[in-house]
Amino acid sequence: MLIIILLNLQVAVYTRYATTQVKNTVAFKQYKLYTSETSVFKAGHSINLEQNLILEIRQENIDQVDIQIYDEANKHFRIPSDPPFNYNDVKDPQQFNSYDYDIRVQFNPIVIQVQRDNATIFTITDLIFSETYIEFTHIPQNKQMWGLGERNQVGFRFKEGIYTLFARDEPNIIENGKRPGKHVYSSHPVLLSMEESGKFNVMFYKTSSPMDVHYEEDKMKFITIGGIIHVKLFLGDTSPRSAIKKYHKYLGGWMLPPFWGFGFHQCRWGYKNSSVLIDVVQQYQKNLIPIDIIWTDLDYMDDRQIFSVDKHKFPKKDFQYLKGLGVRYIPLLDVAVGVKYGSEDEGYRKGTEYDVFLYSPYTGYRFQGYVWPGDSYFPDFFHPNISKYWNEMHEHLYEQVEFDGLWVDMNEPANFCEGECDWNKLNNEIIFPYIPGQIPLANKTLPPHLLHHGQYLHKDVHNLYGIMDSYYTYQAQKELGKVQPFQITRSTFPGTGKYAQHWTGDNGASWDFLYLSLGQVFQFQIFGIPMVGADVCGFMGDTNDKLCCRWIQLAFFYPFFRNHNNDLSKPQEFYNLGFHVIQSAQKNIHLRYTLLKWFYSVFIREQNHGSIINPLFFIFPEDYLTYRDFVMDTQLLIGEELMGAPILEEGVTRIAYFPDSNWYDLITGLELKGKQDHTLYCSYNEIVPIFLRSGYLVIQNTKEMIKNLKSLDNHYRIIAAPLNQEAKGVFADLDNFEDEEKALEAEIINIKLAVEEKSIKITISQSHSELLIDEILIYGLECSYKQCTSGYYKYNSVFKGPFSLGQDKTELVLK
């Protein structure tokens, strides 16, 4: 590893920070940066500079580097190190014999370059540093980049434009890279980049400040309005998943959701009473569409006051009846606490007693906004009493209705006033030379100069509000005895995946939102929240049968599969949309359920790190044809085994690319050769195109009638596609996948199928559970064995059971 300091006397483009080295060890370098300039004119304003800065470079590992630039007085905001922000930073890194990168530090002007394979992979140049304006420029090697969200962008690749990262409640909006900002619910300043060498890295700009990213003319300019510069680089190999796993390890990984969370969820804003919930579930069951979870929006609350239940419209006995129908229940839970009922409302009474609500910078009394409950107070999640308050209020709600999980919404935080209601002064306390997104920072939320406990300005912690809500909601569910707390949250930040799952918010019932949703799922694989999904068939506006059929087919691959729409749109329960939609739901959801134990096993295999739903180049990074936008945006792999090619535009055919392998239609076993495009046909009411990769096998439940997850038993079908006479697969060593304590500790059964001259041999690693194998399908293998029959195509072999594997039996031989 080499650090080079160059004395460069060229005229600075922005400011001239001179550099003096203070500490110099192999693993840790510290410099003082200083300038005689007091201000710089930028963005139409004169910006007062911090004249004395500290630069620190920590070589945390052979493939991980940490760069910090901060004010010498150390008064600017930093993300706290307490949970949920207890990332795996290395304060005093150990020395290694060699590193996978070099660092060049040049000054006058200051330039920092991270290099490997004789090329610069990350840059910090053109530095401006002040209390309310920080800017630096990075020069990417190429245009192969993904991330920097959350954004409703059509397509997965990061494109040129101006983008804003500031949590914002803005429904039905699509990113176009232009002003004003199209930012939505979360902030993830995380970028996956492909280097010219073919290797990948992940950059994490560790800041919660509102941010603009200007990516124009092959330069990427980062602008924030507070905090410090804190950049971490995670260097992977030629597989993008390796860099992503390193980033997830730094965050602390993601939680394993409960198995039942992968079932089909039904919700609608407008279920006015619990009798409607019962009818909806019964209609699904009558139409033979599996369903496991029913949700309610605001409707269940007493006058929309959080932590309350309208006991007349939603009596307890009806929830017991729902449980008897085999479904679980999830209610909406917002963050704003209504004030209209005063101490008669438990949320208000306890909140004022524990003094956990934010205070107004104008009145000195509690800050008052306006949300669904009417005039509202907002919890301060940095307050020392918040844990006690949040735990007690969730217990209070649970006593009224025994929910199974929670839907955590409006936690950007959303507010229907611009700042504080009835006050026109918005940003008077802070003079901002620049507003990320060009939309006032108080728009539909809290004012930027509002103070949180610990003297944190809201502008600095706004993007943290959602993760703090999720963290304390997770802890509250733990207090209630939930082993694997399930919550779907709207606003997220790096690290949220340890505590919650995500849905992509208030989308539109349109082909554009259908198309872009797969890219959103890919983004959150990078961000460390792999269980994610969009509202199926669209939330806003009226859906139609063709759109909904295609969305059901795509949602087959969403880890989180929920049908949800608003009260102003026509009902879109699948059974309300006609015969084709019912057929699409019956076929695709049934097939999904038969594969859910295998799907869950893939989550367990990844050991809480890495991606689950992969664009093709994640698995085939050296195949340049997988980088074509139509492939990147519309095809996926579950793990490494199953490829989906859903049709995301109106029509019944599509062109799909099949990478270097042999591929077999999962249902028929029809073989399609790799390294070429194929035209696929799929009608609206059929099973989504899905293909098994050669060299792999999957385990499928054989149950023909599935009402819900409890219908699944331990009878399975093995579907294998050998490559070089072998196929491999995994399955969780669980007798009962809904046993949450055992699921968290489950081991993986490694399964191998070998084609020998006169037999088929299946071997598994040690297993405590028993697998009852009703059928074995081997694709690409002509039937020449005593026990087999030919499949749908000539080169498919079918072995009828029953066979048994597991417990003491680790080998099965078919003659």
Side-chain angles (χ1 to χ4, degrees):
M1 205 294 305
L2 175 67
I3 290 188
I4 306 171
I5 303 175
L6 300 177
L7 301 179
N8 191 323
L9 301 180
Q10 65 182 338
V11 177
V13 178
Y14 288 79
T15 57
R16 217 182 337 229
Y17 281 99
T19 306
T20 302
Q21 190 164 33
V22 179
K23 294 182 180 178
N24 182 13
T25 67
V26 172
F28 176 70
K29 306 282 190 295
Q30 188 181 71
Y31 307 85
K32 281 193 174 183
L33 311 181
Y34 53 91
T35 180
S36 58
E37 299 177 46
T38 58
S39 63
V40 63
F41 196 76
K42 190 72 177 170
H45 294 83
S46 179
I47 297 170
N48 295 325
L49 294 169
E50 293 283 1
Q51 293 181 278
N52 297 290
L53 303 174
I54 301 294
L55 162 64
E56 293 181 347
I57 300 172
R58 288 176 175 80
Q59 296 173 231
E60 293 185 325
N61 210 321
I62 58 173
D63 50 13
Q64 182 173 315
V65 62
D66 178 283
I67 301 170
Q68 298 182 39
I69 301 175
Y70 58 92
D71 57 304
E72 190 174 44
N74 206 14
K75 64 180 185 293
H76 291 196
F77 175 78
R78 291 170 176 258
I79 294 175
S81 57
D82 300 325
F85 311 109
N86 50 332
Y87 307 128
N88 292 314
D89 288 292
V90 181
K91 186 176 180 181
D92 299 310
Q94 69 182 76
Q95 179 178 332
F96 292 88
N97 293 329
S98 62
Y99 294 84
D100 194 24
Y101 54 88
D102 297 327
I103 301 175
R104 290 170 56 119
V105 178
Q106 168 187 303
F107 66 87
N108 225 11
I110 180 72
V111 178
I112 304 165
Q113 296 175 321
V114 180
Q115 300 182 330
R116 72 167 168 170
D117 299 317
N118 300 313
T120 300
I121 62 171
F122 186 77
T123 313
I124 294 178
T125 186
D126 298 345
L127 175 66
I128 299 174
F129 201 108
S130 77
E131 187 174 359
T132 55
Y133 186 95
I134 296 174
E135 176 185 321
F136 73 86
T137 297
H138 162 53
I139 304 170
Q141 280 188 289
N142 55 51
K143 296 184 182 297
Q144 304 286 22
M145 294 175 289
W146 305 267
L148 293 176
E150 178 181 13
R151 292 171 293 106
N152 297 334
Q153 172 184 295
V154 179
F156 181 38
R157 190 192 314 274
F158 190 73
K159 303 175 181 69
E160 289 199 352
I162 306 174
Y163 305 99
T164 303
L165 276 65
F166 183 68
R168 180 174 171 228
D169 172 19
E170 190 60 51
N172 199 16
I173 189 170
I174 293 180
E175 177 67 80
N176 62 4
K178 298 177 181 177
R179 306 285 80 181
K182 308 299 186 297
H183 41 295
V184 286
Y185 312 105
S186 308
S187 175
H188 288 273
V190 181
L191 186 68
L192 171 69
S193 299
M194 182 182 184
E195 303 164 18
E196 294 292 353
S197 66
K199 297 176 182 175
F200 289 82
N201 67 70
V202 168
M203 183 278 296
F204 173 32
Y205 188 174
K206 188 182 176 183
T207 180
S208 56
S209 174
M211 178 187 300
D212 266 354
V213 182
H214 294 242
Y215 178 35
E216 300 167 310
E217 298 177 351
D218 297 327
K219 290 186 177 181
M220 189 175 286
K221 183 188 303 178
F222 293 87
I223 300 173
T224 62
I225 58 169
I228 66 170
I229 295 174
H230 189 175
V231 172
K232 302 189 79 76
L233 276 177
F234 305 89
L235 307 183
D237 52 28
T238 55
S239 168
R241 298 177 80 202
S242 66
I244 291 169
K245 283 187 176 184
K246 293 174 195 291
Y247 171 58
H248 292 178
K249 183 177 180 181
Y250 167 74
L251 296 178
W254 39 260
M255 69 169 290
L256 178 70
F259 177 64
W260 60 263
F262 291 81
F264 169 63
H265 302 246
Q266 175 61 50
C267 182
R268 174 171 163 80
W269 185 5
Y271 290 155
K272 297 301 184 184
N273 56 62
S274 49
S275 296
V276 177
L277 302 183
I278 292 170
D279 181 65
V280 169
V281 172
Q282 289 177 330
Q283 286 295 325
Y284 269 104
Q285 293 176 344
K286 178 182 176 181
N287 284 278
L288 304 180
I289 301 171
I291 181 171
D292 266 274
I293 308 96
I294 189 74
W295 296 45
T296 50
D297 208 301
L298 295 162
D299 312 280
Y300 82 97
M301 298 178 187
D302 188 358
D303 196 21
R304 298 183 171 183
Q305 308 301 304
I306 69 167
F307 300 120
S308 75
V309 177
D310 186 331
K311 298 179 180 64
H312 299 291
K313 295 180 179 177
F314 292 86
K316 257 190 173 182
K317 64 179 178 61
D318 282 356
F319 289 104
Q320 290 300 317
Y321 191 85
L322 282 167
K323 188 174 290 186
L325 291 176
V327 296
R328 299 174 188 263
Y329 169 67
I330 293 179
L332 176 79
L333 189 60
D334 294 337
V335 290
V337 177
V339 305
K340 70 165 81 171
Y341 295 105
S343 296
E344 294 179 17
D345 178 75
E346 189 74 1
Y348 176 96
R349 186 181 70 79
K350 281 277 180 74
T352 52
E353 177 186 336
Y354 294 152
D355 197 25
V356 295
F357 297 128
L358 287 159
Y359 278 80
S360 167
Y362 307 118
T363 67
Y365 193 62
R366 293 182 181 92
F367 174 89
Q368 189 164 296
Y370 193 90
V371 201
W372 298 119
D375 293 334
S376 302
Y377 293 159
F378 290 81
D380 181 358
F381 285 104
F382 289 94
H383 196 284
N385 291 338
I386 193 66
S387 181
K388 180 177 176 63
Y389 172 67
W390 217 238
N391 287 353
E392 290 183 10
M393 292 316 304
H394 281 75
E395 183 178 4
H396 174 69
L397 178 61
Y398 195 69
E399 288 171 354
Q400 299 170 82
V401 56
E402 293 185 2
F403 52 82
D404 293 283
L406 290 169
W407 173 16
V408 182
D409 195 12
M410 306 292 284
N411 56 350
E412 291 73 29
N415 173 24
F416 299 154
C417 294
E418 188 152 330
E420 186 159 17
C421 301
D422 301 324
W423 286 86
N424 294 321
K425 296 185 296 181
L426 295 177
N427 297 337
N428 295 2
E429 302 300 317
I430 305 174
I431 305 300
F432 289 101
Y434 182 92
I435 303 294
Q438 294 184 347
I439 298 171
L441 294 178
N443 179 258
K444 296 176 69 174
T445 187
L446 313 184
H449 58 287
L450 185 149
L451 275 179
H452 292 252
H453 195 274
Q455 297 299 297
Y456 296 142
L457 287 168
H458 185 73
K459 78 171 178 73
D460 293 320
V461 300
H462 172 87
N463 283 335
L464 304 180
Y465 200 89
I467 186 175
M468 296 289 281
D469 176 25
S470 293
Y471 171 71
Y472 285 107
T473 302
Y474 175 90
Q475 301 297 341
Q477 289 200 64
K478 279 286 197 181
E479 285 292 310
L480 291 172
K482 306 291 186 185
V483 177
Q484 290 175 287
F486 186 79
Q487 61 170 315
I488 297 292
T489 179
R490 193 164 74 176
S491 185
T492 65
F493 189 78
T496 297
K498 288 184 287 186
Y499 311 106
Q501 295 75 41
H502 178 60
W503 105 102
T504 59
D506 297 342
N507 61 1
S510 71
W511 291 96
D512 281 344
F513 269 104
L514 167 67
Y515 185 97
L516 67 81
S517 69
L518 185 54
Q520 292 175 310
V521 171
F522 292 156
Q523 279 201 24
F524 278 87
Q525 306 304 303
I526 298 173
F527 299 157
I529 312 175
M531 189 174 195
V532 61
D535 278 343
V536 175
C537 302
F539 175 73
M540 302 190 74
D542 291 338
T543 195
N544 61 71
D545 57 349
K546 289 182 178 180
L547 175 63
C548 201
C549 282
R550 290 302 186 213
W551 219 315
I552 291 167
Q553 291 170 349
L554 173 60
F556 177 98
F557 303 104
Y558 290 169
F560 174 59
F561 187 164
R562 179 180 74 164
N563 178 356
H564 175 48
N565 73 328
N566 73 4
D567 59 342
L568 300 178
S569 305
K570 70 179 183 182
Q572 65 183 34
E573 294 80 14
F574 299 145
Y575 55 80
N576 278 323
L577 296 178
F579 186 59
H580 282 163
V581 176
I582 291 172
Q583 282 190 319
S584 181
Q586 287 173 337
K587 294 174 183 178
N588 285 283
I589 297 177
H590 181 276
L591 179 61
R592 174 186 170 91
Y593 269 61
T594 67
L595 290 166
L596 274 186
K597 289 186 178 181
W598 169 79
F599 196 175
Y600 197 60
S601 301
V602 174
F603 268 77
I604 293 173
R605 174 179 67 187
E606 296 304 317
Q607 298 183 318
N608 307 103
H609 303 84
S611 58
I612 304 293
I613 306 299
N614 298 296
L616 266 56
F617 78 90
F618 274 25
I619 307 300
F620 298 92
E622 296 178 2
D623 185 345
Y624 72 94
L625 292 175
T626 63
Y627 293 88
R628 292 176 291 172
D629 283 335
F630 89 89
V631 177
M632 187 182 298
D633 297 345
T634 68
Q635 294 180 237
L636 67 128
L637 281 152
I638 302 177
E640 301 177 347
E641 293 96 318
L642 286 184
M643 181 175 72
I647 297 177
L648 304 183
E649 296 172 337
E650 205 162 354
V652 294
T653 62
R654 65 157 295 165
I655 295 174
Y657 176 64
F658 286 67
D660 188 12
S661 183
N662 290 333
W663 299 88
Y664 299 87
D665 184 291
L666 185 67
I667 307 304
T668 67
L670 176 65
E671 181 179 1
L672 290 92
K673 296 295 184 183
K675 298 201 77 172
Q676 59 186 283
D677 294 337
H678 291 276
T679 299
L680 305 179
Y681 174 87
C682 179
S683 59
Y684 289 96
N685 60 339
E686 290 300 326
I687 289 172
V688 64
I690 183 169
F691 305 91
L692 177 62
R693 180 183 173 191
S694 61
Y696 292 88
L697 61 84
V698 295
I699 310 294
Q700 179 186 29
N701 272 97
T702 54
K703 196 81 171 179
E704 292 189 6
M705 294 294 295
I706 299 176
K707 184 178 178 181
N708 50 40
L709 289 170
K710 293 187 185 337
S711 304
L712 302 177
D713 54 26
N714 288 340
H715 286 259
Y716 303 102
R717 173 184 296 114
I718 294 176
I719 307 177
L723 175 66
N724 298 326
Q725 310 303 308
E726 287 187 358
K728 62 180 181 179
V730 297
F731 204 66
D733 191 0
L734 288 169
D735 281 316
N736 179 7
F737 276 67
E738 294 196 64
D739 186 325
E740 296 183 13
E741 291 185 354
K742 289 185 178 178
L744 289 174
E745 299 177 355
E747 299 289 334
I748 283 294
I749 304 169
N750 291 299
I751 306 170
K752 177 182 173 184
L753 182 147
V755 179
E756 299 181 348
E757 186 177 351
K758 294 184 179 180
S759 65
I760 304 293
K761 183 185 291 185
I762 299 174
T763 55
I764 65 171
S765 54
Q766 189 65 40
S767 168
H768 296 98
S769 56
E770 184 180 19
L771 305 180
L772 301 173
I773 311 299
D774 292 332
E775 191 174 61
I776 299 167
L777 306 183
I778 304 178
Y779 292 156
L781 179 70
E782 189 171 4
C783 178
S784 59
Y785 302 89
K786 290 181 181 178
Q787 292 177 253
C788 86
T789 57
S790 293
Y792 186 75
Y793 287 93
K794 177 182 177 183
Y795 291 100
N796 296 335
S797 296
V798 181
F799 295 84
K800 294 289 186 180
F803 310 108
S804 178
L805 277 169
Q807 295 180 337
D808 295 329
K809 187 173 182 180
T810 60
E811 183 176 288
L812 172 64
V813 178
L814 306 173
K815 297 292 186 179

